[in-house]
Amino acid sequence: EAVRPLLHRDGGGAGFVTAVGVNCSSPFACTGAVVGESGSCSLREEARKASGRDVGVFVYPNRGELWNDEEKKFEPTDPPCPPLESFVPQWLSSGATAVGGCCRTGPRDVAAVRRELERWIQTRDRKGGTGIK
């Protein structure tokens, strides 16, 4: 919703925005935005409808922990959030063009995401398609 005026042809934004994305949100929230949830359009579909063209879609989640504003720290969830790399196939299949990490992600997380990305690309290539909706 917030991105629509920036992308819409009549809003003067078309041509300026080259990518939209989700940053520093839980992997579950990122999935909801990229895949679309509860009957809403995915970020990619929303951007395409508003601008009349494809734009890149990035996903940079945090590690899924909750921010405690009172104590100024992240706290684990119960149950813990699954590893970031487990979300990668769904994000990519739903149109994400860049995947990374934000708060509380580290080199091991990014390396695991990269391995999953490479595995997804190999699988997609064996099947002979782009794999992107």
Side-chain angles (χ1 to χ4, degrees), residues 89-90 92-93 116 118-132:
Q90 189 174 20
L92 294 172
S93 294
E116 190 57 43
E118 290 170 350
R119 188 179 358 247
W120 186 85
I121 289 171
Q122 289 173 353
T123 301
R124 177 204 63 191
D125 290 348
R126 278 196 304 272
K127 291 179 180 177
T130 65
I132 297 174

Side-chain angles (χ1 to χ4, degrees), residues 30-36 41-45 48 57 59 87-97 120 130-133:
C30 291
T31 299
V34 174
V35 174
C41 288
S42 70
L43 201 51
R44 183 183 180 97
E45 292 167 342
R48 187 182 295 137
V57 175
V59 183
F87 294 89
V88 170
Q90 189 174 20
W91 294 335
L92 294 172
S93 294
S94 297
T97 53
W120 186 85
T130 65
I132 297 174
K133 294 180 182 176

Side-chain angles (χ1 to χ4, degrees), residues 69-133:
D69 199 41
E70 210 170 277
E71 302 216 11
K72 305 293 186 215
K73 67 177 187 174
F74 281 96
E75 296 177 342
T77 58
D78 186 23
C81 186
L84 291 183
E85 67 269 18
S86 68
F87 294 89
V88 170
Q90 189 174 20
W91 294 335
L92 294 172
S93 294
S94 297
T97 53
V99 177
C102 194
C103 292
R104 308 278 292 169
T105 60
R108 286 186 182 145
D109 298 304
V110 174
V113 165
R114 182 181 176 126
R115 283 191 300 275
E116 190 57 43
L117 170 64
E118 290 170 350
R119 188 179 358 247
W120 186 85
I121 289 171
Q122 289 173 353
T123 301
R124 177 204 63 191
D125 290 348
R126 278 196 304 272
K127 291 179 180 177
T130 65
I132 297 174
K133 294 180 182 176

Side-chain angles (χ1 to χ4, degrees), residues 5-17 53:
L6 297 172
L7 292 167
H8 203 278
R9 288 180 287 243
D10 298 334
F16 295 108
V17 176
R53 61 188 168 79

